């Protein structure tokens, strides 16, 4: 199976949307210790950093306003929800922020960040 065939339809709390891009912030939590009269700092590893997934998506089509409203309602619900990520599959995630855009020149579509 090719990578294109393995991409899943994105959704959050069961509401589907298209995705143009997804990025992940990865890494370790560290603390740098600087000491007087020493040229070498010590870096302490505090464990894995929280993974932050950013998705750039959209709702599109003749019924985009209805689908936009459904997605807004899903994003506004408190607590964690199931995200179906196009490349990673299903995961229970906590939403920290979302931005829905509207434009007179992009009729029939609402971009989501």
């Amino acid at each position: 199976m090719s990578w294109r065939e393995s991409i899943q339809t994105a959704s959050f709390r069961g509401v589907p949307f298209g995705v143009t891009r997804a990025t992940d912030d990865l890494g370790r939590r560290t603390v740098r210790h600087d000491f007087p009269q020493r040229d070498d700092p010590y870096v302490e590893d505090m464990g894995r950093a929280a993974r932050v997934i950013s998705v750039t998506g959209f709702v599109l089509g003749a019924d985009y306003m209805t689908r936009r409203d459904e997605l807004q309602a899903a994003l506004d619900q408190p607590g964690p929800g199931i995200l179906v990520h196009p490349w990673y599959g299903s995961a229970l995630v906590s939403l920290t922020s979302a931005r829905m855009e509207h434009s007179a020149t992009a009729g029939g579509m609402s971009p989501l960040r």
Side-chain angles (χ1 to χ4, degrees), residues 26-29 45-51:
L26 310 167
R28 309 289 298 170
R29 294 178 296 127
D45 187 328
M46 303 292 287
R48 192 183 85 172
R51 180 169 287 174

Side-chain angles (χ1 to χ4, degrees), residues 7-22 55-59 67 71 82-90 112:
I7 293 176
Q8 299 179 42
T9 301
S11 66
F12 185 64
R13 291 192 169 115
V15 181
F17 59 92
V19 173
T20 57
R21 172 180 302 167
V55 175
T56 301
F58 60 90
V59 290
R67 294 177 58 214
L71 186 55
I82 298 293
L83 169 70
V84 177
H85 189 285
W87 293 277
Y88 293 141
S90 297
L112 169 68

Side-chain angles (χ1 to χ4, degrees), residues 59-96:
V59 290
L60 178 68
D63 64 342
Y64 92 96
M65 292 174 82
T66 300
R67 294 177 58 214
R68 176 207 58 199
D69 293 347
E70 291 171 354
L71 186 55
Q72 284 178 341
L75 295 169
D76 282 340
Q77 289 180 25
I82 298 293
L83 169 70
V84 177
H85 189 285
W87 293 277
Y88 293 141
S90 297
L92 184 65
V93 302
S94 293
L95 178 71
T96 58

Side-chain angles (χ1 to χ4, degrees), residues 13-52:
R13 291 192 169 115
V15 181
F17 59 92
V19 173
T20 57
R21 172 180 302 167
T23 59
D24 300 351
D25 292 337
L26 310 167
R28 309 289 298 170
R29 294 178 296 127
T30 59
V31 176
R32 189 181 77 191
H33 300 281
D34 292 307
F35 301 99
Q37 308 302 318
R38 290 190 53 195
D39 292 336
D40 297 322
Y42 167 69
V43 178
E44 184 178 3
D45 187 328
M46 303 292 287
R48 192 183 85 172
R51 180 169 287 174
V52 178

